[in-house]
Amino acid sequence: MNFDDMFSFVEKKLKENNGNDSYKEHQTFRKRIEHIKRVYKWAEIISEGLDVNMVALKMAVIFHDSGYAYQKHGHAQRGKEIFLEYAKEKNYPKELVDYVGYLILNHSDKSLLNSDSPIELILLLEADLLDEEGALKILWDAMCIGDKGANSYLDGYNEIISFSGRILNQSPMVTEKSKKIWEEKKRFVERFIDELEKDLFIK
């Protein structure tokens, strides 16, 4: 399997459909293909040591957000269709194609993030959630509030509390390695907020 070729195909599709750039105001720094590449790395990390169909998982990760085109709704179905287009051209086995299509179609359904789901779907969901949390989410918030026109450090603090801070009340992970990484991200955000409150003399 040529995963580099898949990345190139998906990047081309995203740019053709105006789906590489964020459709949200103040988030022009977010690029869909960069998110996909980070999710790919997370999937490699959290799948290590597990009995996983890595070919199916990697293919699903690469194509999971390929259906974006400035609108969020329906991107999973469109992503599956884009994958099927690619897979037909490459003449991949039907069983593999059907399974990867299933993974792509269901990658946004967080209710499936439980031990009853196939391990490849669990890992795809976890890897997708792990991206843009922790330090990267704080950077996202800072860049957003700067673009909005922050008038004070307090504006930045409030942005981080409202968005990065959400992780402190969430524990969605299923696999042990993902749970550990998620908790590390939570501790980082909690400590950052605590230090920021000290520096701003809020508490």
Side-chain angles (χ1 to χ4, degrees):
M1 296 292 174
N2 189 336
F3 297 116
D4 288 337
D5 184 69
M6 294 180 203
F7 274 117
S8 296
F9 180 85
V10 167
E11 185 170 10
K12 182 173 180 287
K13 283 293 182 182
L14 285 168
K15 290 180 177 178
E16 285 177 354
N17 297 327
N18 296 319
N20 195 44
D21 296 320
S22 177
Y23 60 91
K24 294 185 178 180
E25 191 178 7
H26 308 298
Q27 296 185 19
T28 55
F29 53 86
R30 297 180 68 222
K31 304 298 179 185
R32 189 62 48 183
I33 192 63
E34 292 175 5
H35 161 71
I36 292 171
K37 289 177 179 179
R38 291 192 302 268
V39 173
Y40 187 88
K41 291 293 187 182
W42 280 122
E44 287 185 320
I45 291 168
I46 63 178
S47 63
E48 187 177 355
L50 300 178
D51 184 13
V52 179
N53 182 337
M54 287 303 297
V55 171
L57 176 59
K58 287 182 175 182
M59 291 172 78
V61 168
I62 294 170
F63 283 88
H64 82 281
D65 272 357
S66 61
Y68 267 93
Y70 278 126
Q71 70 276 1
K72 181 176 181 180
H73 300 294
H75 81 275
Q77 175 62 42
R78 180 65 184 126
K80 177 183 175 181
E81 293 167 2
I82 290 171
F83 167 70
L84 293 178
E85 174 190 338
Y86 181 87
K88 182 178 181 180
E89 180 184 314
K90 300 297 182 181
N91 198 29
Y92 290 147
K94 184 179 185 303
E95 185 177 359
L96 174 64
V97 172
D98 288 347
Y99 189 49
V100 173
Y102 157 80
L103 295 175
I104 295 168
L105 188 62
N106 290 283
H107 82 270
S108 291
D109 189 350
K110 300 307 185 275
S111 70
L112 297 174
L113 193 49
N114 59 70
S115 57
D116 294 329
S117 294
I119 186 62
E120 292 80 13
L121 180 57
I122 291 171
L123 292 168
L124 174 57
L125 288 160
E126 288 181 332
D128 200 16
L129 285 171
L130 284 168
D131 184 43
E132 294 183 312
E133 289 291 351
L136 195 54
K137 186 66 176 76
I138 290 172
L139 180 58
W140 170 354
D141 288 341
M143 293 176 77
C144 269
I145 196 64
D147 192 61
K148 290 175 185 177
N151 292 312
S152 68
Y153 285 128
L154 188 59
D155 286 344
Y157 167 79
N158 288 329
E159 187 86 356
I160 290 166
I161 290 293
S162 297
F163 297 102
S164 293
R166 289 177 181 174
I167 194 175
L168 301 179
N169 299 313
Q170 299 173 345
S171 298
M173 299 298 151
V174 175
T175 64
E176 290 306 311
K177 188 170 289 186
S178 295
K179 286 180 182 178
K180 181 179 178 182
I181 295 169
W182 189 264
E183 291 304 313
E184 288 172 353
K185 286 177 175 286
K186 285 173 72 170
R187 286 192 294 272
F188 178 87
V189 171
E190 185 173 37
R191 182 179 175 189
F192 183 92
I193 290 173
D194 181 59
E195 291 296 324
L196 189 56
E197 288 174 344
K198 290 176 184 176
D199 286 348
L200 293 174
F201 298 96
I202 292 174
K203 294 182 180 179

